[in-house]
Coordinates of all heavy atoms in Angstrom, one line a residue:
A1 N 14.2 35.1 52.6 CA 14.7 33.8 52.4 C 13.6 32.8 52.1 O 13.7 31.9 51.3 CB 15.6 33.4 53.6
V2 N 12.5 33.0 52.9 CA 11.4 32.1 52.7 C 10.7 32.3 51.3 O 10.4 31.3 50.6 CB 10.3 32.3 53.8 CG1 9.0 31.6 53.6 CG2 10.9 31.8 55.2
V3 N 10.5 33.5 50.9 CA 9.9 33.8 49.6 C 10.8 33.2 48.5 O 10.3 32.4 47.7 CB 9.8 35.3 49.4 CG1 9.4 35.6 48.0 CG2 8.7 35.9 50.4
D4 N 12.1 33.5 48.5 CA 13.0 33.0 47.5 C 13.2 31.5 47.5 O 13.3 30.8 46.5 CB 14.3 33.7 47.5 CG 14.2 35.2 47.2 OD1 13.3 35.6 46.5 OD2 15.1 35.9 47.5
G5 N 13.2 31.0 48.7 CA 13.4 29.5 48.9 C 12.1 28.7 48.4 O 12.3 27.7 47.8
S6 N 11.0 29.3 48.6 CA 9.8 28.6 48.2 C 9.5 28.6 46.7 O 8.9 27.7 46.2 CB 8.5 29.2 48.9 OG 8.3 30.5 48.5
N7 N 10.0 29.6 46.0 CA 9.8 29.6 44.6 C 11.0 29.3 43.8 O 11.0 29.3 42.5 CB 9.2 31.0 44.2 CG 10.1 32.1 44.4 OD1 11.4 32.0 44.5 ND2 9.6 33.3 44.4
G8 N 12.1 29.0 44.5 CA 13.3 28.5 43.8 C 14.2 29.7 43.3 O 15.3 29.4 42.7
A9 N 13.8 30.9 43.4 CA 14.6 32.0 42.9 C 16.0 32.1 43.4 O 16.9 32.7 42.8 CB 13.8 33.3 43.1
S10 N 16.2 31.6 44.6 CA 17.6 31.7 45.2 C 18.5 30.6 44.7 O 19.7 30.6 45.1 CB 17.4 31.6 46.8 OG 16.8 30.4 47.1
N11 N 18.0 29.8 43.9 CA 18.8 28.7 43.3 C 19.4 29.0 41.9 O 18.9 29.9 41.3 CB 18.0 27.4 43.2 CG 17.6 26.8 44.6 OD1 17.7 27.5 45.6 ND2 17.2 25.6 44.6
H12 N 20.4 28.3 41.5 CA 20.8 28.3 40.1 C 21.0 26.9 39.6 O 21.2 26.0 40.4 CB 22.1 29.2 40.0 CG 23.3 28.6 40.7 ND1 23.5 28.7 42.0 CD2 24.3 27.8 40.2 CE1 24.7 28.0 42.3 NE2 25.1 27.5 41.2
L13 N 20.9 26.7 38.3 CA 21.0 25.4 37.7 C 22.5 25.1 37.3 O 23.1 26.0 36.7 CB 20.1 25.2 36.6 CG 18.6 25.4 37.0 CD1 17.7 25.5 35.7 CD2 18.1 24.3 37.9
F14 N 22.9 23.9 37.6 CA 24.3 23.5 37.3 C 24.3 22.1 36.7 O 23.6 21.2 37.2 CB 25.2 23.5 38.6 CG 26.6 23.1 38.3 CD1 27.5 23.9 37.8 CD2 27.0 21.7 38.5 CE1 28.8 23.5 37.5 CE2 28.2 21.3 38.3 CZ 29.2 22.2 37.8
P15 N 25.0 21.9 35.6 CA 25.9 22.8 34.9 C 25.1 23.7 33.9 O 24.0 23.3 33.5 CB 26.8 21.9 34.1 CG 26.0 20.7 33.8 CD 25.1 20.5 35.1
N16 N 25.6 24.8 33.7 CA 25.1 25.7 32.6 C 26.2 26.5 32.1 O 26.8 27.3 32.8 CB 24.0 26.7 33.2 CG 23.3 27.5 32.2 OD1 23.4 27.2 31.0 ND2 22.6 28.5 32.6
P17 N 26.6 26.3 30.8 CA 25.8 25.5 29.8 C 26.0 24.0 30.1 O 27.0 23.5 30.7 CB 26.5 25.9 28.5 CG 27.9 26.2 28.9 CD 27.8 26.9 30.2
V18 N 25.1 23.2 29.5 CA 25.2 21.7 29.5 C 25.9 21.5 28.1 O 25.3 21.5 27.1 CB 23.9 21.0 29.6 CG1 24.1 19.5 29.5 CG2 23.2 21.4 30.9
F19 N 27.2 21.3 28.2 CA 28.0 21.1 27.0 C 28.7 19.8 27.1 O 29.6 19.6 27.9 CB 29.0 22.3 26.9 CG 29.8 22.5 25.6 CD1 30.7 23.5 25.5 CD2 29.6 21.6 24.5 CE1 31.4 23.7 24.3 CE2 30.3 21.8 23.4 CZ 31.2 22.9 23.3
V20 N 28.4 18.9 26.2 CA 28.9 17.5 26.2 C 29.6 17.2 25.0 O 29.2 17.4 23.8 CB 27.7 16.5 26.4 CG1 28.2 15.1 26.4 CG2 27.0 16.8 27.7
R21 N 30.8 16.6 25.2 CA 31.6 16.0 24.0 C 31.1 14.5 23.9 O 31.4 13.7 24.8 CB 33.1 16.0 24.2 CG 33.8 15.4 23.0 CD 35.4 15.4 23.2 NE 35.8 16.8 23.5 CZ 36.9 17.0 24.3 NH1 37.5 16.1 24.9 NH2 37.3 18.3 24.5
L22 N 30.4 14.2 22.8 CA 29.9 12.9 22.6 C 31.0 11.9 22.2 O 32.0 12.4 21.6 CB 28.8 12.9 21.6 CG 27.6 13.8 22.0 CD1 26.6 13.9 20.8 CD2 26.9 13.2 23.2
V23 N 30.8 10.7 22.4 CA 31.7 9.6 22.1 C 31.1 8.7 21.0 O 30.0 8.3 21.1 CB 32.1 8.8 23.3 CG1 33.0 7.7 23.0 CG2 32.7 9.7 24.4
P24 N 31.9 8.4 19.9 CA 31.4 7.5 18.9 C 31.0 6.1 19.5 O 31.7 5.7 20.4 CB 32.5 7.4 17.9 CG 33.4 8.6 18.1 CD 33.2 8.9 19.6
V25 N 30.0 5.5 18.9 CA 29.6 4.2 19.3 C 30.8 3.3 19.1 O 31.5 3.3 18.1 CB 28.4 3.7 18.4 CG1 28.2 2.2 18.7 CG2 27.2 4.5 18.7
G26 N 31.1 2.5 20.1 CA 32.2 1.5 20.1 C 33.5 2.0 20.7 O 34.4 1.3 20.8
S27 N 33.6 3.3 20.9 CA 34.8 3.9 21.5 C 34.9 3.6 23.0 O 33.9 3.6 23.7 CB 34.7 5.4 21.3 OG 35.8 6.0 22.0
P28 N 36.1 3.4 23.5 CA 36.3 3.1 24.9 C 36.3 4.4 25.7 O 36.3 4.4 26.9 CB 37.7 2.4 25.0 CG 38.4 3.0 23.8 CD 37.4 3.2 22.7
E29 N 36.3 5.6 25.1 CA 36.3 6.8 25.8 C 35.0 7.1 26.5 O 34.0 6.5 26.2 CB 36.7 8.0 24.8 CG 38.0 7.9 24.2 CD 38.3 9.0 23.2 OE1 37.7 10.1 23.5 OE2 39.0 8.8 22.3
E30 N 35.0 8.1 27.4 CA 33.8 8.5 28.1 C 33.4 9.9 27.6 O 34.2 10.7 27.3 CB 34.0 8.5 29.6 CG 34.2 7.2 30.2 CD 34.3 7.3 31.8 OE1 33.3 7.8 32.3 OE2 35.3 7.0 32.3
A31 N 32.1 10.1 27.6 CA 31.6 11.4 27.3 C 32.0 12.4 28.4 O 32.1 12.0 29.6 CB 30.0 11.4 27.2
V32 N 32.3 13.6 28.1 CA 32.8 14.6 29.1 C 31.9 15.9 29.0 O 31.4 16.2 28.0 CB 34.3 15.0 28.9 CG1 35.2 13.8 29.2 CG2 34.6 15.5 27.5
L33 N 31.9 16.5 30.2 CA 31.2 17.8 30.3 C 32.3 18.9 30.0 O 33.4 18.8 30.5 CB 30.7 18.1 31.7 CG 29.3 17.4 32.0 CD1 29.0 17.6 33.5 CD2 28.2 17.9 31.1
L34 N 31.9 19.9 29.2 CA 32.8 21.0 28.9 C 32.3 22.3 29.5 O 31.1 22.4 29.6 CB 33.0 21.1 27.4 CG 33.3 19.8 26.6 CD1 33.2 20.0 25.1 CD2 34.7 19.4 27.0
D35 N 33.2 23.2 29.7 CA 32.7 24.5 30.1 C 32.4 25.4 28.9 O 32.5 24.9 27.8 CB 33.8 25.2 31.1 CG 35.1 25.6 30.4 OD1 35.2 25.6 29.1 OD2 36.0 25.9 31.1
K36 N 32.0 26.6 29.1 CA 31.6 27.4 27.9 C 32.7 27.7 26.9 O 32.5 28.0 25.8 CB 31.0 28.8 28.4 CG 32.0 29.7 29.1 CD 31.3 30.9 29.6 CE 32.3 31.8 30.3 NZ 31.7 33.0 30.9
N37 N 34.0 27.5 27.4 CA 35.1 27.7 26.5 C 35.6 26.3 25.9 O 36.6 26.3 25.2 CB 36.3 28.3 27.3 CG 35.9 29.7 27.8 OD1 35.3 30.5 27.1 ND2 36.2 29.9 29.0
G38 N 34.9 25.2 26.1 CA 35.2 24.0 25.5 C 36.3 23.2 26.3 O 36.8 22.2 25.8
Q39 N 36.6 23.6 27.5 CA 37.6 22.9 28.4 C 36.9 21.9 29.2 O 35.7 22.1 29.7 CB 38.3 23.9 29.3 CG 39.0 25.0 28.6 CD 40.1 24.5 27.7 OE1 40.9 23.7 28.2 NE2 40.2 24.9 26.5

């Protein structure tokens, strides 16, 4: 636990993938995060 904790190997990065639906300039909508299937 000490070895893995000290070098970060016991962690994972979230979100992965970083999948964002962008919003056109001037739109009142918000950008959203999507999963790997686009949901």
Side-chain angles (χ1 to χ4, degrees):
V2 170
V3 170
D4 291 339
S6 67
N7 66 18
S10 59
N11 292 15
H12 66 277
L13 299 171
F14 178 82
N16 188 15
V18 178
F19 191 178
V20 177
R21 181 182 304 143
L22 299 171
V23 176
V25 171
S27 172
E29 296 180 31
E30 291 188 60
V32 294
L33 282 174
L34 306 171
D35 66 14
K36 65 182 178 184
N37 299 316
Q39 300 299 310

